[in-house]
Amino acid sequence: MTTILLKTPTVFQLPSVDNALPSSFANCVLKWEQDALIVTASPEVVKDVVPALQNPKWLQECLWRSPVRKVYLDPTLAEFALKAWADLAAATGKQVYLNVPPAPDLPQLQQSRSWWVKRLADWLVAALLLVLFSPLMVLVALLVRLDSPGDILFRQWRVGYQGQLFRICKFRSMYADAEAQHHQVMGKQTGLHKLEHDPRITRVGRWLRKLSLDELPQLINVLYGEMSLVGPRPWALYDAVRIAPELQGRLNALPGITGAWQVSARSNELDLYAVTCRDLAYLQQWTLSKDLKVLLLTIPKVVLGIGAF
């Protein structure tokens, strides 16, 4: 096995050639800075050109053997490229981030004591709810398995705290091949990629979404520290990459299972710019009491299925 040692910083470009890496990795500029690998879509000054890579496993092996600990992805990369790099980073045990601008007004930076109270409450409440809802979750898992073939749980890359990507955990509410059909179904929709009559949703899935029961496994994400009980919506990559550059600082926020958008507008407001501005307002005005209010307002929304699809 050949090991490639790279000086810091080093910049090189993966060439796009026949029978080389798939287009997910071709034409990317890679830059090593200490323990970070920065992947950009726009060409930079190329100092070293790596020979054509005949097998993606070669890149995976090199990344695994490298001193890199974090991979930063340019938000202008194509969605399929972001997914491919995220999968590669996960397979090699590296943390992966969207390279978004900092947001100095995040509540965890401004109100540290209150923020740690919130995080402790997140962990305790999530653990308690998982115990209380475990019989219901077993029943839901059985219904999902009996309703349609495929995995019981659905995992998808989402954007978390400081732009770090994580796999959200939900009960599968769509057919197994739904992800491959996403852009075909959504077409050129400019707002949030949500459809009230999405043909990919299963019979049980429609019921789960109406009662928000598909969201219950996200309590696991809360225990892992990837989410909070209350916070901005955890953006999927196909929504995150369409956020205006001047609003991308919002992608630094810790996302929540429920939040201001869910209790005030939910699926009745799908304008991406408006939802992002609402999230930024929540972050700028955050308090523990407002989070408690959001939690209380969430209960009737869930019970009545208001705006859920």
Side-chain angles (χ1 to χ4, degrees):
M1 177 62 63
T2 302
T3 302
I4 297 180
L5 300 178
L6 300 171
K7 296 180 180 179
T8 304
T10 299
V11 180
F12 64 87
Q13 187 173 27
L14 299 181
S16 179
V17 297
D18 293 338
N19 300 320
L21 280 176
S23 57
S24 300
F25 302 103
N27 294 326
C28 291
V29 175
L30 309 186
K31 182 178 180 180
W32 258 267
E33 289 187 354
Q34 297 179 354
D35 64 346
L37 173 65
I38 302 172
V39 184
T40 60
S42 302
E44 299 179 6
V45 177
V46 179
K47 298 179 180 178
D48 302 296
V49 178
V50 172
L53 302 177
Q54 301 300 317
N55 193 325
K57 292 183 179 180
W58 190 89
L59 178 57
Q60 178 175 323
E61 186 71 14
C62 288
L63 187 58
W64 179 75
R65 290 175 175 270
S66 78
V68 167
R69 295 176 54 232
K70 300 178 181 180
V71 178
Y72 291 91
L73 305 176
D74 188 342
T76 63
L77 285 167
E79 180 194 334
F80 69 89
L82 291 173
K83 288 181 179 178
W85 278 104
D87 290 339
L88 178 66
T92 54
K94 314 298 182 182
Q95 296 177 337
V96 59
Y97 297 79
L98 276 190
N99 202 359
V100 295
D105 54 353
L106 291 179
Q108 53 264 52
L109 301 178
Q110 300 296 323
Q111 304 184 49
S112 57
R113 182 176 299 178
S114 296
W115 181 258
W116 284 113
V117 172
K118 168 188 170 76
R119 299 302 291 132
L120 178 61
D122 278 339
W123 194 89
L124 293 175
V125 174
L128 177 62
L129 291 178
L130 277 173
V131 173
L132 293 177
F133 288 139
S134 57
L136 176 60
M137 293 175 71
V138 171
L139 175 60
V140 171
L142 180 61
L143 292 174
V144 171
R145 173 54 60 88
L146 294 176
D147 183 55
S148 63
D151 294 334
I152 293 174
L153 295 178
F154 169 71
R155 295 182 180 274
Q156 183 187 52
W157 286 111
R158 297 290 179 102
V159 185
Y161 177 50
Q162 293 186 329
Q164 183 172 3
L165 302 188
F166 70 98
R167 287 190 176 101
I168 201 169
C169 188
K170 304 174 70 174
F171 282 119
R172 181 174 57 83
S173 60
M174 292 186 173
Y175 293 104
D177 60 347
E179 282 285 273
Q181 301 177 29
H182 178 83
H183 289 286
Q184 179 182 352
V185 172
M186 293 299 167
K188 297 181 179 180
Q189 185 167 325
T190 57
L192 295 180
H193 281 193
K194 291 176 68 69
L195 287 178
E196 184 172 2
H197 302 292
D198 195 319
R200 300 170 297 163
I201 300 178
T202 64
R203 293 171 300 174
V204 167
R206 196 165 301 279
W207 172 71
L208 293 180
R209 288 188 170 207
K210 190 68 175 177
L211 297 177
S212 298
L213 293 177
D214 60 317
E215 312 279 354
L216 285 176
Q218 290 177 47
L219 293 170
I220 299 173
N221 293 116
V222 175
L223 288 182
Y224 281 149
E226 298 164 332
M227 293 181 65
S228 172
L229 294 175
V230 181
R233 177 182 173 85
W235 292 119
L237 292 177
Y238 46 72
D239 285 324
V241 297
R242 294 182 294 119
I243 293 179
E246 66 271 17
L247 300 180
Q248 286 183 351
R250 173 256 182 263
L251 295 173
N252 287 282
L254 182 70
I257 295 179
T258 185
W261 173 76
Q262 288 90 332
V263 300
S264 60
R266 212 169 187 179
S267 298
N268 295 318
E269 181 180 69
L270 299 180
D271 182 80
L272 187 59
Y273 186 89
V275 174
T276 304
C277 289
R278 185 187 296 272
D279 289 340
L280 286 170
Y282 159 81
L283 293 170
Q284 293 164 359
Q285 303 167 16
W286 177 82
T287 63
L288 281 172
S289 60
K290 288 183 178 180
D291 271 9
L292 179 59
K293 180 180 179 180
V294 168
L295 284 173
L296 294 176
L297 289 174
T298 298
I299 296 174
K301 294 279 186 178
V302 170
V303 173
L304 299 176
I306 299 173
F309 55 78

